[in-house]
Amino acid sequence: MRQYLDLCQRIIDQGTWIENERTGKRCLTVINADLTYDVANNQFPLITTRKSFWKSAIAEFLGYIRGYDNAADFRKLGTKTWDANANDNPAWLKNPNRKGEDDMGRVYGVQGRAWRKPNGETIDQLRKIVNNLTKGIDDRGEIMTFFNPGEIDLGCLRPCMHTHTFSLLGDTLYLTSYQRSCDVPLGLNFNQIQVFTFLALMAQITGKKAGQAYHKIINAHIYEDQLELMRDVQLKREPFPLPKLEINPDIKTLEDLETWVTMDDFKVEGYQHHDPIKYPFSV
């Protein structure tokens, strides 16, 4: 929790104002931030200085694992995070590749589960990683990336957290996740949850021990219409101890994650938090 607050303070103290072309807003911005999450000891990095809607973050990542490309499927899981980018993004609405309402295009999980080769065949990046790790194999290329430069125009949004690299030392599994851009007041809360949960789930379904998760952010920013709430409200609050994430132990395979798992299979224990803060969201 403290590392999140330290990053927010660093942006306020050291950030540079940058005009963002996509949103038409200014962002207070720093380059390079490194966060670490202790998955081994189940120190779930849930924001406590405001209420966090953690189920939505896990539901979104479960949708990525399943390769979903439609906002309606994400809503069925319990999250509306893709509604705006699928249906309110002016550039995507004008894109001839958009198939209709709720279509997201070839973003995130589509690339992770069905990366398209030049001959039209697809590669299931996640399946390869699960197969290798289950056998105790780390070929130094246990990488799942959502960033496909050749298909950027085929999706409603370029991936922000774009690449996940798993590393196996003995029977302990580590994760390093890379993020090109991060809306710190809103997005980072989700991203922290997702990095932590991804490592916890992958360790569970491959029969390994979870180690540390490392989260590298390139461009970390606070939008101009978020600054006052962050500086004068959230950063004035004292954080509570971190809670723990409980995952249904019956989740044993990738197929389980693809089929029957719901948000009822995740619980957070010991979550204390301050009141919610409604930060503006930029599409």
Side-chain angles (χ1 to χ4, degrees), residues 24 75 78 107 116-117 136-137 157 166 183 203 208 211 224 251 262 275:
R75 288 197 296 274
V107 297
R116 206 149 49 192
K117 297 167 65 175
I137 297 170
L157 183 71
F166 288 94
D183 175 341
K208 302 296 179 280
E224 56 187 334
I251 301 173
T262 71
D275 291 339

Coordinates of all heavy atoms in Angstrom, one line a residue, residues 24 75 78 107 116-117 136-137 157 166 183 203 208 211 224 251 262 275:
G24 N -7.6 14.4 -24.9 CA -7.7 15.8 -24.9 C -7.4 16.5 -23.5 O -7.8 17.7 -23.3
R75 N -19.4 -8.2 -19.0 CA -20.5 -7.9 -18.1 C -21.1 -9.1 -17.5 O -21.5 -9.1 -16.3 CB -21.6 -7.1 -18.9 CG -21.3 -5.7 -19.3 CD -22.5 -4.9 -19.6 NE -23.2 -5.4 -20.8 CZ -22.9 -5.1 -22.1 NH1 -21.9 -4.2 -22.3 NH2 -23.6 -5.5 -23.1
G78 N -19.2 -9.9 -14.6 CA -19.4 -9.0 -13.4 C -18.7 -7.7 -13.5 O -18.5 -7.1 -12.5
V107 N -8.1 -7.3 -29.0 CA -7.3 -6.7 -27.9 C -7.1 -7.7 -26.8 O -7.8 -8.8 -26.7 CB -8.1 -5.5 -27.4 CG1 -8.2 -4.4 -28.4 CG2 -9.5 -5.9 -26.9
R116 N -2.4 -14.2 -34.1 CA -2.5 -14.7 -35.5 C -1.2 -14.7 -36.2 O -0.5 -13.7 -36.2 CB -3.5 -13.8 -36.2 CG -4.2 -14.4 -37.4 CD -5.6 -13.9 -37.6 NE -5.7 -12.4 -37.6 CZ -6.8 -11.8 -37.6 NH1 -8.0 -12.4 -37.5 NH2 -6.8 -10.4 -37.6
K117 N -0.9 -15.8 -36.8 CA 0.3 -15.9 -37.7 C 0.0 -15.5 -39.1 O -1.1 -15.4 -39.5 CB 0.8 -17.4 -37.7 CG 1.2 -17.9 -36.3 CD 1.4 -19.4 -36.3 CE 2.5 -19.9 -37.1 NZ 2.7 -21.4 -37.0
G136 N 7.4 -28.2 -15.1 CA 8.6 -27.7 -14.5 C 9.6 -27.1 -15.5 O 10.8 -27.0 -15.2
I137 N 9.1 -26.7 -16.6 CA 10.0 -26.1 -17.7 C 9.9 -24.6 -17.7 O 8.8 -24.1 -17.7 CB 9.6 -26.7 -19.1 CG1 9.8 -28.2 -19.2 CG2 10.3 -26.0 -20.2 CD1 9.2 -28.8 -20.4
L157 N -8.7 -0.4 -28.3 CA -7.7 0.2 -27.4 C -6.4 -0.5 -27.4 O -6.4 -1.8 -27.3 CB -8.2 0.2 -25.9 CG -7.4 0.9 -24.8 CD1 -7.4 2.4 -25.0 CD2 -7.9 0.6 -23.5
F166 N 6.7 -15.1 -17.0 CA 6.8 -16.0 -15.9 C 8.2 -16.6 -15.8 O 8.8 -16.9 -16.8 CB 5.8 -17.1 -16.0 CG 4.4 -16.7 -15.7 CD1 3.6 -16.3 -16.8 CD2 3.9 -16.6 -14.4 CE1 2.3 -15.8 -16.6 CE2 2.6 -16.1 -14.2 CZ 1.8 -15.7 -15.3
D183 N -3.0 5.0 -15.7 CA -3.8 6.0 -15.0 C -3.8 5.6 -13.5 O -4.5 4.7 -13.1 CB -5.3 5.9 -15.5 CG -6.3 6.8 -14.8 OD1 -6.0 7.2 -13.7 OD2 -7.4 7.1 -15.4
A203 N 0.3 -20.1 -10.3 CA 1.0 -21.0 -9.4 C 0.0 -22.2 -9.0 O 0.5 -23.3 -8.9 CB 1.5 -20.3 -8.2
K208 N 2.8 -25.0 -8.5 CA 4.0 -24.4 -8.1 C 3.7 -23.5 -6.9 O 2.6 -23.1 -6.6 CB 4.6 -23.6 -9.2 CG 4.9 -24.4 -10.4 CD 6.0 -25.4 -10.1 CE 6.4 -26.3 -11.3 NZ 5.4 -27.3 -11.6
G211 N 5.8 -16.9 -5.8 CA 6.9 -16.0 -5.2 C 6.5 -14.6 -5.2 O 5.4 -14.2 -4.7
E224 N -5.4 15.7 -15.1 CA -5.7 17.0 -14.4 C -6.9 17.1 -13.6 O -7.0 17.7 -12.6 CB -5.6 18.1 -15.4 CG -6.6 18.0 -16.6 CD -6.4 19.1 -17.7 OE1 -5.9 20.2 -17.3 OE2 -6.7 18.8 -18.8
I251 N -10.0 -24.9 -8.1 CA -9.5 -24.4 -9.4 C -8.1 -25.0 -9.6 O -7.1 -24.7 -8.9 CB -9.4 -22.9 -9.4 CG1 -10.8 -22.2 -9.1 CG2 -8.8 -22.4 -10.8 CD1 -10.7 -20.7 -9.0
T262 N -16.3 -18.5 -11.4 CA -17.0 -17.2 -11.3 C -16.4 -16.3 -10.2 O -15.4 -16.8 -9.5 CB -18.5 -17.4 -11.0 OG1 -18.6 -17.8 -9.6 CG2 -19.1 -18.4 -12.0
D275 N -13.7 5.6 2.7 CA -14.8 5.8 1.8 C -14.4 5.8 0.3 O -13.2 6.1 0.0 CB -15.5 7.1 2.1 CG -16.3 7.1 3.4 OD1 -16.6 6.0 3.9 OD2 -16.5 8.2 4.0

